[in-house]
């Protein structure tokens, strides 16, 4: 608890970029930004001297690297030294990094201008899920004086890092100079170095899909000490295990190393084994039972069937049907007929005119489908509390009456990524123009999207004077026609995050004494308006009627 257990007067919108913050890995240090949009409640004045942000040490940033900022020169900021929570009235046993934002002049205490506080976060923590025990300590008042410190606890979410591999290049190798200058051409037998950036847990380099890797490990570089005798395309296979879904993800990159004086090869060749050509491949039908590497792209006016791996570093255009297993296309891939792709990677756009079946296929560019698309999986019924989504999906909540004409009101609510929605349902009442009372049902629902790897929550509250609580139900509907709700979402807590403003549970009814006092006051007011007393009989009848309202 804070030293002053008072609610804050200002409104705060807490945003992160990326949303949620992405966790660091062993090979990649992630960064992000926290943004606090500060504003007074509508129609109210708030004076504020200082806003302090307390972040648990080591929980959000592995190295406690923070870069504060503010959008106006009316405020200044500083990063304080680490303090124990007990010293500042916060949680005992937790060390905090204080980030202090203060107004420069008392003339700027009245918050009637845009105020946006930012905190850059370096070396984001590798722990996934909600980071709690963050606090905003606000020194404020509703008038210019009597400033008190007020506490707003909140939490942030750290999600799975985006899986990436980039800058796969070749450069001249010099053992005395670890850095390389990227280049595309080398002499026959000249040593060179392949290097790349990424956050995968495992890398492999091959020249032909399905062949034994030239390199396998966790480093971000590999030296080809004996050089090459012919121009060759190297394929980098990066892999990482998805801890949420328990499957291995792959990203592919390719680089072509040109040899200026290669070993002589014939212009044309017919062979029962493998064929390698530096030019394009044109024909009506292409059938490959082994592996094929097309470095100049391919135009196929018939059909293309590849039972092995097909690697195309240029565009691939097929006017017939296309069946690939383990193919890699670094340019655009256009199929006029049907397409069936298994364990394939398309670096450019994929356009299919007929029916298409994609199995473990990665498309880096645009995906265009002329026919129907199946994207929704099987729903899973979930309970209230906090969950983690294993895939993109939608959360649906439904609150409906208990099929009785009784007092029954309830609220359902949920949220993710810093926002919240809610719905009210059960039974409700109304009046006609002659004040005839009616009771009728009021079912309602909500739906909101959830990103893969993000946490989300659902909860419910009921009117405290209900005769019967309304019925509620919640579902998670995953994206992906092959997904099931049981695989796509996991409940991690029966609780909802701290700091959520819940719907009001009910108002106290006016007691009989209060109604009688107000009725008496109204009769006296009528006598003053009429400028004469009301007879006792009429006054008693009037009080009886007013007492029933």
């Amino acid at each position: 608890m804070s030293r002053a257990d008072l609610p804050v007067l200002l409104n705060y919108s807490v945003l992160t970029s990326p949303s949620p913050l992405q966790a660091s890995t062993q090979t990649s240090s992630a960064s992000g930004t926290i943004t606090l949009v500060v504003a007074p409640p509508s129609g109210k004045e708030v004076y504020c001297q200082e806003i302090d942000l307390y972040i648990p040490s080591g929980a959000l940033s592995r190295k406690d690297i923070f870069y504060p900022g503010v959008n106006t020169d009316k405020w200044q900021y500083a990063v304080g030294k680490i303090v124990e929570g007990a010293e500042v009235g916060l949680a005992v046993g937790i060390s905090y990094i204080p980030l202090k934002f203060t107004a420069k002049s008392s003339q700027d205490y009245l918050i009637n201008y845009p105020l946006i506080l930012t905190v850059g976060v370096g070396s984001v923590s590798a722990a996934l899920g909600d980071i709690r025990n963050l606090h905003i300590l606000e020194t404020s008042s509703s008038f210019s004086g009597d400033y008190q410190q007020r506490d707003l606890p909140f939490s942030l979410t750290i999600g799975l890092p985006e899986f990436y591999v980039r800058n796969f290049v070749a450069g001249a190798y010099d053992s005395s100079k670890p850095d390389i200058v990227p280049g595309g051409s080398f002499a026959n037998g000249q040593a060179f170095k392949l290097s790349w950036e990424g956050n995968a847990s495992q890398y492999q380099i091959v020249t032909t899909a399905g062949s034994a890797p030239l390199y396998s490990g966790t480093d971000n570089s590999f030296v080809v000490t004996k050089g090459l005798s012919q121009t060759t395309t190297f394929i980098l296979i990066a892999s990482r295990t998805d801890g949420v879904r328990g499957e291995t993800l792959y990203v592919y990159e390719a680089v072509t190393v040109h040899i200026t004086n290669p070993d002589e090869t014939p212009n044309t060749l017919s062979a029962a084994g493998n064929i390698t050509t530096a030019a394009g491949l044109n024909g009506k039908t292409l059938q490959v039972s082994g592996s094929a590497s097309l470095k100049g792209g391919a135009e196929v006016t018939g059909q293309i069937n590849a039972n092995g791996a097909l690697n195309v570093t240029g565009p691939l255009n097929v006017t017939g049907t296309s069946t690939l297993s383990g193919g890699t296309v670094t340019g655009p891939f256009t199929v006029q007929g049907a397409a069936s792709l298994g364990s394939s990677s398309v670096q450019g756009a994929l356009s299919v005119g007929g029916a298409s079946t994609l199995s473990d296929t990665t498309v880096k560019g645009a995906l265009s489908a002329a026919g129907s698309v199946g994207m929704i999986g099987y729903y899973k019924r979930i309970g209230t509390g906090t969950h983690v989504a294993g895939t993109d999906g939608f959360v649906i909540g439904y609150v409906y009456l208990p099929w009785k004409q009784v007092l029954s009101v309830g609220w359902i609510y949920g949220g993710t990524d810093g926002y919240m929605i809610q719905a009210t349902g059960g039974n409700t009442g109304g009046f006609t123009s002659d004040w005839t009372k009616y009771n009728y049902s009021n079912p309602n629902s909500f739906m909101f999207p959830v990103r893969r790897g993000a946490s989300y929550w659902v909860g419910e509250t009921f009117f405290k004077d209900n005769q019967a609580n309304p019925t509620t139900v919640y579902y998670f509907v995953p994206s992906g026609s092959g997904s099931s709700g049981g695989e796509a979402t996991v409940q991690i807590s029966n609780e909802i995050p701290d700091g959520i403003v819940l719907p009001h549970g009910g108002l106290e009814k006016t007691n009989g004494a209060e109604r009688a006092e107000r009725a008496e006051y109204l009769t006296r007011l009528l006598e003053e308006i009429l400028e004469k007393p009301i007879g006792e009989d009429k006054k008693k009848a009037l009080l009886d009627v007013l007492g029933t309202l």
Side-chain angles (χ1 to χ4, degrees):
M1 303 295 292
S2 66
R3 289 175 294 181
D5 189 15
L6 297 173
V8 295
L9 299 180
L10 293 167
N11 291 333
Y12 295 86
S13 296
V14 183
L15 310 172
T16 63
S17 177
S19 180
L21 296 172
Q22 295 183 4
S24 297
T25 65
Q26 293 181 349
T27 59
S28 177
S29 181
S31 61
T33 302
I34 304 171
T35 301
L36 302 180
V37 181
V38 186
S42 178
K44 295 184 179 180
E45 290 187 347
V46 176
Y47 294 79
C48 184
Q49 295 177 326
E50 182 173 339
I51 299 174
D52 297 337
L53 179 61
Y54 281 80
I55 301 176
S57 176
L60 194 61
S61 169
R62 295 185 297 186
K63 300 180 181 179
D64 288 336
I65 301 174
F66 301 104
Y67 307 98
V70 66
N71 69 315
T72 174
D73 58 2
K74 297 179 180 180
W75 284 61
Q76 59 191 2
Y77 50 83
V79 180
K81 295 182 179 179
I82 190 170
V83 296
E84 295 300 320
E87 299 176 20
V88 291
L90 299 178
V92 177
I94 298 179
S95 300
Y96 287 88
I97 302 296
L99 306 176
K100 296 183 176 293
F101 299 85
T102 56
K104 294 181 180 179
S105 169
S106 60
Q107 297 178 353
D108 301 322
Y109 288 175
L110 177 60
I111 308 302
N112 57 2
Y113 50 90
L115 180 59
I116 302 175
L117 314 179
T118 59
V119 177
V121 182
S123 188
V124 177
S125 171
L128 300 177
D130 291 334
I131 305 300
R132 301 188 178 186
N133 293 313
L134 286 85
H135 290 265
I136 296 173
L137 296 188
E138 169 194 287
T139 305
S140 62
S141 174
S142 57
F143 60 94
S144 181
D146 191 25
Y147 291 95
Q148 298 187 58
Q149 192 175 73
R150 305 167 189 273
D151 181 21
L152 175 62
F154 68 101
S155 62
L156 293 174
T157 300
I158 297 179
L160 291 170
E162 181 183 2
F163 187 19
Y164 73 93
V165 173
R166 61 192 177 211
N167 293 337
F168 184 32
V169 297
Y173 173 67
D174 185 344
S175 59
S176 64
K177 300 177 181 179
D179 295 331
I180 68 170
V181 177
S185 299
F186 302 92
N188 195 319
Q190 179 185 355
F192 59 91
K193 184 177 183 179
L194 299 171
S195 63
W196 58 91
E197 297 176 353
N199 61 352
S201 57
Q202 179 75 12
Y203 298 99
Q204 290 185 334
I205 297 177
V206 299
T207 56
T208 303
S211 63
L214 301 177
Y215 167 78
S216 180
T218 59
D219 292 337
N220 288 69
S221 63
F222 171 68
V223 178
V224 183
T225 56
K226 295 183 179 180
L228 298 173
S229 60
Q230 293 180 333
T231 297
T232 302
T233 296
F234 293 88
I235 302 171
L236 175 65
I237 305 173
S239 61
R240 187 180 74 183
T241 300
D242 186 337
V244 175
R245 295 186 296 181
E247 64 183 29
T248 301
L249 307 177
Y250 295 89
V251 174
Y252 303 88
E253 289 289 340
V255 64
T256 299
V257 176
H258 177 69
I259 302 303
T260 56
N261 55 336
D263 293 345
E264 292 294 328
T265 57
N267 293 328
T268 61
L269 176 65
S270 297
N274 295 334
I275 298 178
T276 302
T277 172
L281 179 63
N282 297 282
K284 294 183 178 180
T285 301
L286 175 63
Q287 294 182 332
V288 182
S289 59
S291 61
S293 178
L294 310 179
K295 300 176 183 179
E299 297 283 344
V300 182
T301 57
Q303 65 180 16
I304 181 170
N305 299 310
N307 297 324
L310 176 64
N311 300 311
V312 183
T313 58
L316 177 58
N317 300 312
V318 183
T319 58
T321 61
S322 176
T323 301
L324 302 182
S325 176
T328 299
V329 181
T330 60
F333 187 11
T334 303
V335 182
Q336 301 298 328
S340 177
L341 310 181
S343 301
S344 299
S345 175
V346 180
Q347 306 296 324
L350 173 61
S351 178
V352 181
S356 61
T357 301
L358 309 182
S359 175
D360 294 329
T361 298
T362 300
V363 180
K364 290 294 187 67
L367 176 62
S368 175
S372 61
V373 178
M375 298 182 64
I376 302 298
Y378 299 98
Y379 74 88
K380 177 186 178 182
R381 186 166 177 174
I382 59 176
T384 58
T386 302
H387 308 253
V388 172
T391 182
D392 290 352
F394 296 90
V395 175
I396 300 174
Y398 181 39
V399 53
Y400 52 99
L401 67 161
W403 303 111
K404 296 180 181 178
Q405 289 187 338
V406 295
L407 178 59
S408 177
V409 181
W411 296 267
I412 59 174
Y413 42 88
T416 183
D417 285 344
Y419 68 83
M420 169 182 169
I421 61 176
Q422 66 182 43
T424 304
N427 286 330
T428 188
F431 298 90
T432 63
S433 59
D434 62 355
W435 296 102
T436 301
K437 295 182 289 185
Y438 287 92
N439 176 263
Y440 51 88
S441 62
N442 180 38
N444 267 308
S445 64
F446 63 63
M447 182 175 72
F448 60 89
V450 180
R451 295 177 302 99
R452 186 183 78 174
S455 65
Y456 67 93
W457 50 268
V458 292
E460 57 191 29
T461 298
F462 300 113
F463 188 69
K464 66 184 183 64
D465 291 327
N466 275 345
Q467 293 175 288
N469 288 333
T471 304
T472 60
V473 66
Y474 307 93
Y475 302 97
F476 180 82
V477 182
S479 298
S481 59
S483 299
S484 68
E487 300 169 349
T489 182
V490 177
Q491 182 164 356
I492 60 175
S493 172
N494 291 327
E495 306 295 329
I496 65 173
D498 295 334
I500 302 300
V501 179
L502 303 180
H504 202 288
L507 300 174
E508 294 293 337
K509 294 183 291 187
T510 304
N511 58 44
E514 290 176 340
R515 288 198 298 269
E517 182 180 347
R518 294 174 186 175
E520 180 69 29
Y521 173 76
L522 181 57
T523 58
R524 292 199 305 272
L525 184 61
L526 287 174
E527 289 179 331
E528 293 178 5
I529 294 173
L530 297 173
E531 296 183 350
K532 64 179 181 179
I534 301 174
E536 291 301 323
D537 292 342
K538 293 182 179 180
K539 180 183 291 187
K540 182 178 184 305
L542 179 60
L543 290 173
D544 290 341
V545 172
L546 292 176
T548 62
L549 298 180

